Amino acid sequence: MNGNRFGRLFQVTTYGESHGDAMGVTVSGCPAGLELDEDDVQAELDRRKPGQSMITTSRGEPDAVSINSGVQDGYTTGTPIGMVIENKDARSGKYEPYVTAPRPSHGDFTYSAKFGTRNWGGGGRSSARETVNWVAAGAVAKKILETRDVRVKAHVNQIGDVEAPEVGFEQMLEHTEENPVRCADPETAEEMRELIDEYQEAGDSIGGSIYFEIRGVPRGLGAPRFDSVPSRLGQAMMSIPATTAFEFGLGREAREWTGKNRNEDWEFSSDGDPIPEGNKHGGLQGGITTGQPIYGEITWHAPTSIPKKQQTVDWETGEEKEIQVVGRHDPVLPPRAVPVVEAMLNLTILDFMLLGGRINPDRLDDDPGEYDTDYHPSSPDNE
Amino acid sequence: MNGNRFGRLFQVTTYGESHGDAMGVTVSGCPAGLELDEDDVQAELDRRKPGQSMITTSRGEPDAVSINSGVQDGYTTGTPIGMVIENKDARSGKYEPYVTAPRPSHGDFTYSAKFGTRNWGGGGRSSARETVNWVAAGAVAKKILETRDVRVKAHVNQIGDVEAPEVGFEQMLEHTEENPVRCADPETAEEMRELIDEYQEAGDSIGGSIYFEIRGVPRGLGAPRFDSVPSRLGQAMMSIPATTAFEFGLGREAREWTGKNRNEDWEFSSDGDPIPEGNKHGGLQGGITTGQPIYGEITWHAPTSIPKKQQTVDWETGEEKEIQVVGRHDPVLPPRAVPVVEAMLNLTILDFMLLGGRINPDRLDDDPGEYDTDYHPSSPDNE
Amino acid sequence: MNGNRFGRLFQVTTYGESHGDAMGVTVSGCPAGLELDEDDVQAELDRRKPGQSMITTSRGEPDAVSINSGVQDGYTTGTPIGMVIENKDARSGKYEPYVTAPRPSHGDFTYSAKFGTRNWGGGGRSSARETVNWVAAGAVAKKILETRDVRVKAHVNQIGDVEAPEVGFEQMLEHTEENPVRCADPETAEEMRELIDEYQEAGDSIGGSIYFEIRGVPRGLGAPRFDSVPSRLGQAMMSIPATTAFEFGLGREAREWTGKNRNEDWEFSSDGDPIPEGNKHGGLQGGITTGQPIYGEITWHAPTSIPKKQQTVDWETGEEKEIQVVGRHDPVLPPRAVPVVEAMLNLTILDFMLLGGRINPDRLDDDPGEYDTDYHPSSPDNE
Amino acid sequence: MNGNRFGRLFQVTTYGESHGDAMGVTVSGCPAGLELDEDDVQAELDRRKPGQSMITTSRGEPDAVSINSGVQDGYTTGTPIGMVIENKDARSGKYEPYVTAPRPSHGDFTYSAKFGTRNWGGGGRSSARETVNWVAAGAVAKKILETRDVRVKAHVNQIGDVEAPEVGFEQMLEHTEENPVRCADPETAEEMRELIDEYQEAGDSIGGSIYFEIRGVPRGLGAPRFDSVPSRLGQAMMSIPATTAFEFGLGREAREWTGKNRNEDWEFSSDGDPIPEGNKHGGLQGGITTGQPIYGEITWHAPTSIPKKQQTVDWETGEEKEIQVVGRHDPVLPPRAVPVVEAMLNLTILDFMLLGGRINPDRLDDDPGEYDTDYHPSSPDNE
């Protein structure tokens, strides 16, 4: 409603501005009995962290997470998990010139139009810094999904006009994190890197895209019509800052396919279950999972923070003026967005599994009649 | 949650199956004082109605709407508007062969996987017949938006490989409804029509896309992060049956644009307000409206109901079998989806205007201190 | 949000005014596989129906329900159940004098203050006629709860100063429906009846209360803090028109009890489970069910429609005037509210059972891996 | 849904356990432009703080709040306000004996029944310590309501059988905070204090109640039927730990009043508006505010933590055993619950004012067309 919440049963609530004291996220609805500690979350945050390479902003944030609640003796308790990540390297002074003169193509003007005020430090709430919260929450979701063998992976499949060849899921798992571009094809990664460097040196930035795949999702998930899997993925992916397109299955190209070519006959799997003969449908039919991998693509426009001098206007003084965005910024977004995409996919899929009864919303153990169990004994004897 | 609700303050709840007794939609949150009668709704339903031309299904539904509540003496009362559209021409018998043998690429199997049952008549709840409810609700939203000069229009911009040239908003308003393809460029419409006929004669079907534009939206609408305008449009558009891609602004092509080329300087409008020099941003920055037109594209895959013989399996008998989908079906989806897209856009934008305080959620008149007014006097004297 | 929806997973949406065309309710989230037909719903509606005896309004409504969707071949499909109940005996003319002169202690003025309009026919949306929707939805919930041996019963335990003695659950089941007052103690019922007659003859009305009990609720239901069982029951019961108090367990009297007297030791049940030695806690500890019966009381003020001449003011003319409420009205509310209370209790408890994973939200059968089953074969062969 | 959220537009999300690291609350939906700092929140927290007198627990919590986001240069920005209150004086060791043996009449068993685990430290999430979050959020709501002259006040009107006489609103404002019992009648406060001392010395505890009143609420607030003001107050009040009854207006006594005696004629106010001649209706008719003060009562049972030896059973060992609850606990709940009740009332009423359009959800300033204003200039020049 106010935009700071995601998820129906696995509920994520966030706060924080780029240059405020801290970012924070509350995860309500995590089943009890999950083994979880700060390292699990930190590992994902480290993947998103700024300053990892030359192609990311040099802002020096350790992004250290504190879990304030919801975990006892190393296991979740079923009550909300409150997490805080302090902002250590905010340098708001750099943004002073733009207080009443919006930066070109940023959210400066629109946030002021909405709130009638100006949260000027580093973009305030509109900053992509917010996604640190999503990655923290997604880390919890990921751990639960791992217990059900659901796996999510994304990689950068295009930067500018450099496009990666099709890669397999195992290849994505193996190679994506090996290079700063996060492209699972090492040769393309190298080309992408060169292209990015070129734009960065020219004081410019460039767009790109991410391909994702989700494996192991059980059939029968999704709540058509308005909460179908495509609907919720659409919402989730278009929530990511600077995205301009979401596609699944054949995506945009589907417009040129005929029914005969796209339709897939049903056959029996080795288990005797009906399965489609292919997966041009992208794992989703009628908005519900078929059990086949869900895959798709998301597009990012080029970062709007570029060192080039640009024109703006000052709404206080009524003057036109030249602006030069300083600060520390990424020349391209998808490489750092890979863990963000994965986080949002994990959150979305887990929510469907809780809704669909695949996971007991109260606890990982499926028997709702038990009032205690052995495998997560939150007792002093365990310490 | 269960997928049958859309909207936060302008709340739409729907029910109905393709071959059930009736479709129904409840609109809760319509402000009081709107002039509304069944003709307003019927006009939109007639645009979506089957059997309008050779390229749509010949199912003979009058789609006559009854308003059961929420309107008194020709004005809305602020209480929920219940609408019912009876199903008159359901012929379930035709679907008997597929009861336990799913049709290729339909939602038959996935719905059964979700619910553990088989709603076999005409696709049941998975049918696009559901969108009659959305168009009815959207008609109410449209009437409210008209009072605020917000205008929504969509047209078919591509069928197969036949692509329309760029068209202006006024051209869309003028020409879209003139041809059965609903393409605002008459020449392209003709070409599209020929292509569709070709596929239909070949017992095949074809994909396509719709371009939309929203004009007059005030700046400052949207609730980032998870309820930003792109997020909610993403959810709304991907809820439409058979869609596989949602794009706004530069969409998928943004991946190849540089920051220098995409960024837009700020200048002063004639009113002295900051406005961007162009609209490559698609009316949205930081997920919030700039006041510029919002535009984008949605892709549909080809209809899955084709007369070709296809292979399927029967999960009761364990046998493979041949299937031939009879029934009455569209050879292409976008032409009839135009009013559906417009309805969902109207619903989404209105919801933001109610949330953002642009429209008083209780009444169209903005003064919350009044307990009665003259301009919608629901009294017997007025009859 | 707009007040026309109840429930989180078992979602009820309603519409309708006292003198509109029809009342309607959509039940979204009913699991598939429940045997259900219109008779199941009608049986409950008949219990609430006006004109059952001298102590209820003589409005002649058959309250015949039509199920428009969500049921196929006698079983629910898991998709939304749309129900419509037509208004047959609305006589708005009687209300004309009060169009701009509010009736004393009704919702006439406040509805106008909210909506800036005047839905003058029989109280419009503020009428208790709305509860026909709740009873219809509750009938569906009741059928599901019966499959889990959860039983809800209410009876009138006080009218004016006539108070019933404590009665057992079986006595409530056996005797409540035997008399028009719906008091499970036949002698008290007689006294209540006399008291009501007395007030009715005097052109007056009187308040009263209902005692309820819920048996068979599993332990561990409830979502503290804001969705605890007491919170949700509080919301549900205070939604019922004309209620002024909700109590559970010791209720209002708890203020005079000491901890020593109220606390209950734990002992082992015959099954070896911990159970409290008594049930002064009313089945709820820390907002969650203990497995003991949940019980409580709700109070209604006297009906505000009385034939006495009263004073009001006309906000159009600015004149004071005398008013005499004609129309057909109940001299006391609890007798007809018994099925309403039961309905809301059924809806509330079922929602918790769906949330807590006791019932699979998609289907009654608990195995989420199956895509079809035998016991609710929605196929043409079954007809 | 999971119970950790309250409010529709003014959204409160909480986390924290009695003996965890910190309590936390996120307030999403606070309009921009409100002057706010930590002192505003701290002032309310100090009223609720433990250890204020002999009749409250001696747990030594400073309850110091940190605002992590949502405030810039002393004004709210419209983005979520994240607040954290560290737990400094948790002593879980004291609770070791009860890990698998539930304390009588606490939430120990029911929480374990729900989550299948045992959050044993000090009651974990079931502890009333959670209400520190509510008071923090309520402090923000209170500041907004003050800008609209809406005032909320509560006082303890009964402890055991000691009942306060009726007091006026100004008396409540003046005297409530003068004594540790928080009764606005000084003499009764003294009597209550003696009674409490007596029970405390006897190793016992006692129940009590709170009377509240809300002044200045505009007419026309409330969203019948399920989100009427009584419904939402019912939910809010029954969410407070250990409450067993909620009443408004004549409350439970309404059952003995006749319609003639309770009905209130309409007359004209000095402003020429219709007003009821009295306020037996408690400020609410048809679930919507009349503009008259809203008042009611809430009952608490006696604290369940008493030093008396009690019987329990150990579900691990299967043994019956004696238990003696140590720890630091209140002998009576209402005195410390006064700020909690006020907080929940402020949150509830503010939410209705945002929903009803009385306050722009985006900003305190009502003009939605402005993109900046002078009175809350979040700019460096202002520092």
XYZ file of all heavy atoms in Angstrom, chain B residues 162-228:
523
model
N 4.164 -8.367 -38.455
C 3.619 -7.115 -38.986
C 3.550 -6.064 -37.883
O 2.785 -6.199 -36.922
C 2.209 -7.319 -39.573
C 1.662 -5.978 -40.077
C 2.243 -8.348 -40.697
N 4.350 -5.039 -38.046
C 4.504 -4.047 -36.992
C 3.936 -2.712 -37.458
O 4.171 -2.293 -38.590
C 5.995 -3.899 -36.699
C 6.303 -3.243 -35.382
C 7.810 -3.189 -35.132
O 8.563 -3.901 -35.843
O 8.231 -2.440 -34.243
N 3.207 -2.048 -36.576
C 2.639 -0.735 -36.925
C 3.702 0.348 -36.748
O 4.571 0.227 -35.896
C 1.444 -0.433 -36.037
N 3.619 1.398 -37.545
C 4.489 2.542 -37.289
C 4.051 3.237 -36.005
O 2.975 2.952 -35.480
C 4.234 3.444 -38.506
C 2.873 3.093 -38.968
C 2.695 1.638 -38.667
N 4.882 4.130 -35.506
C 4.520 4.886 -34.313
C 3.279 5.736 -34.611
O 3.194 6.338 -35.681
C 5.678 5.806 -33.929
C 5.767 6.059 -32.440
C 7.103 6.696 -32.077
O 8.167 6.034 -32.238
O 7.077 7.863 -31.682
N 2.351 5.762 -33.658
C 1.151 6.570 -33.861
C 0.977 7.521 -32.689
O 1.447 7.241 -31.582
C -0.121 5.697 -33.971
C -0.049 4.803 -35.204
C -0.308 4.861 -32.723
N 0.335 8.620 -32.937
C 0.086 9.591 -31.879
C -1.124 9.199 -31.049
O -1.923 8.345 -31.450
N -1.269 9.852 -29.902
C -2.360 9.512 -28.989
C -3.717 9.796 -29.628
O -4.642 8.979 -29.531
C -2.202 10.300 -27.686
C -3.121 9.842 -26.599
C -2.917 8.615 -25.975
C -4.185 10.614 -26.178
C -3.759 8.177 -24.963
C -5.044 10.185 -25.171
C -4.827 8.969 -24.557
N -3.806 10.932 -30.302
C -5.095 11.287 -30.905
C -5.448 10.302 -32.026
O -6.615 9.943 -32.209
C -5.064 12.731 -31.433
C -4.878 13.787 -30.345
C -5.929 13.703 -29.235
O -7.092 13.356 -29.528
O -5.568 13.943 -28.055
N -4.424 9.868 -32.725
C -4.643 8.868 -33.776
C -5.172 7.549 -33.170
O -6.054 6.897 -33.745
C -3.321 8.624 -34.509
C -3.460 7.845 -35.793
C -2.125 7.667 -36.492
O -1.143 8.338 -36.177
N -2.083 6.755 -37.455
N -4.623 7.210 -32.022
C -5.104 6.009 -31.340
C -6.575 6.152 -30.973
O -7.372 5.235 -31.174
C -4.288 5.746 -30.074
C -2.876 5.240 -30.344
S -1.849 5.254 -28.833
C -2.651 3.959 -27.877
N -6.901 7.311 -30.439
C -8.301 7.542 -30.050
C -9.226 7.469 -31.262
O -10.334 6.943 -31.189
C -8.447 8.927 -29.396
C -7.862 9.087 -27.995
C -7.984 10.535 -27.542
C -8.569 8.165 -27.003
N -8.732 7.985 -32.376
C -9.591 8.125 -33.550
C -9.763 6.823 -34.335
O -10.856 6.487 -34.779
C -9.004 9.217 -34.454
C -9.985 9.709 -35.504
C -9.370 10.795 -36.377
O -8.442 11.492 -35.899
O -9.807 10.912 -37.540
N -8.655 6.101 -34.533
C -8.704 4.987 -35.481
C -8.774 3.579 -34.888
O -9.120 2.632 -35.591
C -7.492 5.069 -36.418
C -7.510 6.275 -37.303
N -8.532 6.512 -38.199
C -6.657 7.332 -37.412
C -8.304 7.650 -38.838
N -7.171 8.181 -38.365
N -8.401 3.431 -33.635
C -8.279 2.072 -33.087
C -9.552 1.248 -33.247
O -9.500 0.069 -33.635
C -7.885 2.126 -31.606
O -6.670 2.867 -31.494
C -7.699 0.724 -31.047
N -10.669 1.875 -32.941
C -11.903 1.093 -32.907
C -12.553 0.946 -34.287
O -13.619 0.353 -34.409
C -12.890 1.714 -31.917
C -12.328 1.900 -30.509
C -11.992 0.578 -29.822
O -12.755 -0.394 -29.975
O -10.936 0.503 -29.170
N -11.898 1.483 -35.296
C -12.485 1.439 -36.632
C -12.330 0.095 -37.338
O -13.005 -0.185 -38.326
C -11.836 2.510 -37.526
C -12.239 3.932 -37.193
C -11.489 4.927 -38.062
O -10.603 4.489 -38.840
O -11.783 6.122 -37.962
N -11.354 -0.686 -36.878
C -11.129 -1.952 -37.575
C -11.105 -3.098 -36.575
O -10.815 -2.889 -35.392
C -9.827 -1.879 -38.391
C -8.627 -1.581 -37.532
O -8.159 -2.456 -36.808
N -8.124 -0.343 -37.580
N -11.406 -4.307 -37.025
C -11.534 -5.433 -36.084
C -10.204 -5.805 -35.417
O -10.206 -6.444 -34.378
C -12.047 -6.581 -36.957
C -11.742 -6.190 -38.361
C -11.747 -4.695 -38.413
N -9.087 -5.400 -36.009
C -7.786 -5.727 -35.417
C -7.449 -4.765 -34.288
O -6.592 -5.030 -33.461
C -6.682 -5.685 -36.504
C -5.348 -6.087 -35.916
C -7.023 -6.626 -37.662
N -8.101 -3.629 -34.272
C -7.837 -2.563 -33.305
C -6.400 -2.043 -33.407
O -5.701 -1.881 -32.411
C -8.146 -2.999 -31.880
C -9.643 -3.113 -31.623
C -9.963 -2.903 -30.147
N -11.403 -2.786 -29.914
C -12.194 -3.821 -29.578
N -11.714 -5.016 -29.435
N -13.479 -3.623 -29.392
N -5.971 -1.817 -34.619
C -4.688 -1.159 -34.841
C -4.990 0.263 -35.330
O -5.817 0.459 -36.227
C -3.866 -1.921 -35.891
S -2.366 -1.041 -36.362
N -4.327 1.243 -34.715
C -4.664 2.641 -35.007
C -4.159 3.103 -36.372
O -4.550 4.167 -36.851
C -4.105 3.553 -33.911
N -3.293 2.300 -36.982
C -2.834 2.657 -38.328
C -3.610 1.811 -39.351
O -3.395 0.589 -39.449
C -1.326 2.387 -38.453
C -0.808 2.799 -39.810
O -0.739 4.020 -40.074
O -0.505 1.892 -40.626
N -4.499 2.442 -40.098
C -5.429 1.678 -40.941
C -4.728 0.741 -41.935
O -5.183 -0.392 -42.137
C -6.218 2.774 -41.673
C -6.129 3.976 -40.787
C -4.789 3.898 -40.132
N -3.632 1.192 -42.517
C -2.945 0.315 -43.481
C -2.368 -0.930 -42.819
O -2.496 -2.041 -43.315
C -1.822 1.084 -44.169
C -2.344 1.952 -45.315
C -1.208 2.723 -45.956
O -0.147 2.129 -46.218
O -1.399 3.948 -46.167
N -1.716 -0.698 -41.670
C -1.177 -1.858 -40.953
C -2.315 -2.779 -40.521
O -2.174 -4.004 -40.557
C -0.394 -1.397 -39.717
O 0.488 -0.346 -40.092
C 0.405 -2.547 -39.132
N -3.400 -2.188 -40.126
C -4.541 -2.982 -39.693
C -4.947 -3.955 -40.802
O -5.262 -5.130 -40.552
C -5.717 -2.073 -39.328
N -4.924 -3.446 -42.007
C -5.293 -4.274 -43.141
C -4.312 -5.438 -43.318
O -4.706 -6.601 -43.494
C -5.339 -3.393 -44.398
C -6.096 -3.997 -45.553
C -7.445 -4.593 -45.145
O -8.235 -3.905 -44.452
O -7.701 -5.777 -45.494
N -3.050 -5.112 -43.236
C -2.011 -6.152 -43.338
C -2.146 -7.196 -42.233
O -1.990 -8.399 -42.445
C -0.612 -5.531 -43.194
C -0.061 -4.869 -44.429
C 1.312 -4.277 -44.102
O 2.255 -5.065 -43.859
O 1.410 -3.030 -44.053
N -2.380 -6.704 -41.042
C -2.541 -7.622 -39.899
C -3.724 -8.549 -40.139
O -3.638 -9.757 -39.908
C -2.802 -6.818 -38.611
C -1.571 -6.113 -38.073
S -2.022 -5.068 -36.638
C -0.396 -4.585 -36.052
N -4.803 -7.957 -40.629
C -5.998 -8.727 -40.881
C -5.729 -9.855 -41.865
O -6.161 -10.999 -41.678
C -7.087 -7.773 -41.422
C -8.366 -8.448 -41.840
C -9.028 -9.131 -40.634
N -10.079 -10.003 -41.052
C -11.349 -9.609 -41.194
N -11.695 -8.374 -40.857
N -12.254 -10.458 -41.606
N -4.957 -9.527 -42.883
C -4.621 -10.556 -43.879
C -3.761 -11.673 -43.269
O -3.968 -12.852 -43.514
C -3.876 -9.924 -45.058
C -4.838 -9.214 -46.016
C -4.135 -8.211 -46.910
O -2.913 -8.371 -47.114
O -4.793 -7.249 -47.365
N -2.820 -11.253 -42.454
C -1.965 -12.245 -41.800
C -2.782 -13.175 -40.909
O -2.605 -14.397 -40.898
C -0.902 -11.525 -40.963
C 0.174 -12.437 -40.378
C 1.191 -12.825 -41.452
C 0.890 -11.761 -39.214
N -3.682 -12.577 -40.146
C -4.516 -13.374 -39.235
C -5.368 -14.361 -40.037
O -5.453 -15.553 -39.688
C -5.423 -12.448 -38.390
C -4.564 -11.582 -37.466
C -6.436 -13.257 -37.587
C -5.299 -10.421 -36.823
N -5.959 -13.878 -41.090
C -6.792 -14.756 -41.926
C -5.988 -15.947 -42.431
O -6.464 -17.081 -42.442
C -7.339 -13.973 -43.127
C -8.436 -12.991 -42.702
O -8.907 -13.077 -41.548
O -8.800 -12.129 -43.523
N -4.791 -15.630 -42.827
C -3.883 -16.655 -43.350
C -3.640 -17.768 -42.317
O -3.754 -18.957 -42.596
C -2.564 -15.953 -43.658
C -1.672 -16.614 -44.680
C -0.481 -15.675 -44.936
O -0.692 -14.560 -45.500
O 0.629 -16.057 -44.534
N -3.306 -17.325 -41.092
C -3.056 -18.304 -40.047
C -4.334 -19.070 -39.700
O -4.321 -20.273 -39.496
C -2.492 -17.636 -38.793
C -1.021 -17.333 -38.925
C -0.561 -16.031 -39.026
C -0.081 -18.379 -38.958
C 0.783 -15.749 -39.151
C 1.271 -18.104 -39.087
C 1.701 -16.797 -39.182
O 3.035 -16.546 -39.319
N -5.439 -18.342 -39.648
C -6.698 -18.987 -39.284
C -7.053 -20.061 -40.305
O -7.453 -21.166 -39.943
C -7.806 -17.939 -39.199
C -9.085 -18.479 -38.545
C -10.064 -17.357 -38.194
O -10.066 -16.316 -38.841
N -10.871 -17.583 -37.173
N -6.881 -19.724 -41.583
C -7.166 -20.711 -42.630
C -6.256 -21.931 -42.527
O -6.643 -23.051 -42.857
C -7.014 -20.059 -44.013
C -8.283 -19.286 -44.395
C -7.980 -18.164 -45.392
O -7.053 -18.334 -46.204
O -8.670 -17.115 -45.321
N -5.030 -21.686 -42.065
C -4.073 -22.792 -41.920
C -4.283 -23.560 -40.618
O -3.470 -24.413 -40.256
C -2.652 -22.231 -41.991
N -5.370 -23.255 -39.906
C -5.610 -23.953 -38.636
C -4.580 -23.606 -37.575
O -4.293 -24.391 -36.676
N -4.056 -22.419 -37.698
C -3.008 -22.012 -36.765
C -3.438 -20.720 -36.056
O -4.522 -20.177 -36.290
C -1.700 -21.777 -37.553
C -0.458 -21.958 -36.688
O -0.578 -22.048 -35.448
O 0.642 -22.017 -37.280
N -2.593 -20.236 -35.181
C -2.848 -18.975 -34.484
C -1.530 -18.222 -34.390
O -0.475 -18.780 -34.696
C -3.417 -19.249 -33.090
O -2.474 -19.959 -32.313
N -1.586 -16.968 -33.947
C -0.380 -16.149 -33.965
C -0.359 -15.182 -32.772
O -1.409 -14.770 -32.279
C -0.274 -15.377 -35.324
C 1.024 -14.566 -35.429
C -1.510 -14.480 -35.547
C 2.292 -15.404 -35.543
N 0.837 -14.829 -32.312
C 1.005 -13.887 -31.209
C 0.909 -12.441 -31.650
O 0.670 -12.145 -32.826
N 1.087 -11.539 -30.712
C 1.007 -10.122 -31.040
C 1.254 -9.260 -29.818
O 1.594 -9.771 -28.739
N 1.088 -7.961 -30.013
C 1.339 -7.063 -28.890
C 0.463 -5.824 -28.949
O -0.137 -5.507 -29.976
C 2.799 -6.654 -28.844
O 3.145 -5.963 -30.016
N 0.403 -5.172 -27.810
C -0.385 -3.955 -27.646
C 0.500 -2.845 -27.100
O 1.332 -3.080 -26.216
C -1.581 -4.219 -26.678
C -2.685 -4.991 -27.409
C -2.129 -2.927 -26.105
C -3.895 -5.325 -26.565
N 0.331 -1.668 -27.668
C 0.975 -0.470 -27.152
C -0.081 0.322 -26.398
O -1.220 0.436 -26.863
C 1.517 0.357 -28.330
C 1.996 1.736 -27.948
C 3.303 1.933 -27.501
C 1.156 2.842 -28.024
C 3.749 3.203 -27.140
C 1.597 4.114 -27.657
C 2.894 4.282 -27.216
O 3.339 5.530 -26.861
N 0.294 0.870 -25.225
C -0.684 1.678 -24.475
C -0.088 3.023 -24.107
O 1.134 3.175 -24.040
C -1.140 0.948 -23.213
C -0.055 0.824 -22.166
C 0.176 1.832 -21.243
C 0.747 -0.307 -22.116
C 1.184 1.722 -20.284
C 1.753 -0.425 -21.167
C 1.968 0.590 -20.252
N -0.948 3.947 -23.824
C -0.498 5.266 -23.397
C -1.526 5.838 -22.430
O -2.731 5.662 -22.620
C -0.336 6.176 -24.625
C 0.587 7.350 -24.388
C 0.986 8.051 -25.694
O 1.333 7.350 -26.676
O 0.932 9.285 -25.717
N -1.028 6.496 -21.394
C -1.904 7.106 -20.388
C -1.549 8.579 -20.310
O -0.398 8.928 -20.050
C -1.710 6.460 -19.004
C -1.681 4.931 -19.111
C -2.791 6.922 -18.033
C -1.323 4.233 -17.809
N -2.528 9.404 -20.525
C -2.291 10.852 -20.534
C -3.047 11.536 -19.391
O -4.137 11.123 -19.022
C -2.766 11.460 -21.851
C -2.059 10.893 -23.065
C -1.606 11.998 -23.985
N -0.517 11.527 -24.840
C 0.226 12.332 -25.576
N 0.006 13.642 -25.575
N 1.204 11.851 -26.303
N -2.442 12.582 -18.873
C -3.126 13.396 -17.872
C -2.895 12.919 -16.447
O -3.487 13.449 -15.507
N -2.026 11.931 -16.272
C -1.747 11.450 -14.916
C -0.964 12.524 -14.166
O 0.048 13.010 -14.650
C -0.907 10.159 -14.967
C -0.535 9.722 -13.564
C -1.663 9.071 -15.687
N -1.406 12.904 -12.978
C -0.652 13.919 -12.231
C 0.714 13.386 -11.785
O 0.880 12.176 -11.614
C -1.544 14.200 -11.014
C -2.563 13.136 -10.960
C -2.625 12.473 -12.301
N 1.649 14.292 -11.633
C 2.962 13.899 -11.109
C 2.831 13.505 -9.642
O 1.920 13.958 -8.948
C 3.922 15.071 -11.247
C 3.465 16.285 -10.477
C 4.307 17.506 -10.766
N 3.701 18.661 -10.106
C 3.585 19.855 -10.646
N 4.051 20.085 -11.867
N 3.035 20.835 -9.971
N 3.759 12.656 -9.200
C 3.800 12.320 -7.776
C 2.975 11.110 -7.377
O 2.778 10.850 -6.194
N 2.534 10.313 -8.327
C 1.790 9.088 -7.989
C 2.725 7.886 -7.965
O 3.602 7.753 -8.817
C 0.694 8.816 -9.018
C -0.493 9.754 -9.060
C -1.505 9.225 -10.073
C -1.147 9.891 -7.689
N 2.464 6.971 -7.058
C 3.269 5.755 -6.966
C 3.805 5.600 -5.558
O 4.046 6.584 -4.879
N 3.946 4.367 -5.131
C 4.411 4.120 -3.775
C 5.604 3.183 -3.783
O 5.462 1.999 -3.527
C 3.269 3.549 -2.939
N 6.754 3.727 -4.148
C 7.942 2.863 -4.116
C 8.159 2.379 -2.693
O 7.800 3.072 -1.763
C 9.082 3.789 -4.539
C 8.417 5.005 -5.099
C 7.078 5.100 -4.472
N 8.681 1.157 -2.569
C 9.365 0.434 -3.596
C 8.495 -0.660 -4.230
O 8.578 -0.889 -5.411
C 10.613 -0.201 -2.988
C 11.433 0.761 -2.121
C 11.989 1.951 -2.849
N 12.861 1.497 -3.900
C 14.139 1.737 -4.019
N 14.703 2.604 -3.183
N 14.847 1.223 -4.953
N 7.755 -1.384 -3.408
C 7.076 -2.555 -3.966
C 5.727 -2.216 -4.602
O 5.113 -3.063 -5.225
C 6.911 -3.633 -2.895
C 8.213 -4.045 -2.271
C 8.505 -3.756 -0.951
C 9.174 -4.696 -3.027
C 9.710 -4.129 -0.384
C 10.386 -5.072 -2.468
C 10.658 -4.787 -1.142
N 5.260 -1.022 -4.369
C 4.021 -0.579 -5.001
C 4.268 0.623 -5.904
O 3.409 1.505 -6.030
C 2.972 -0.228 -3.936
C 2.461 -1.457 -3.225
O 2.231 -2.477 -3.900
O 2.294 -1.418 -1.997
N 5.419 0.646 -6.507
C 5.697 1.685 -7.488
C 4.742 1.509 -8.665
O 4.123 0.452 -8.829
C 7.136 1.571 -7.967
O 7.293 0.418 -8.761
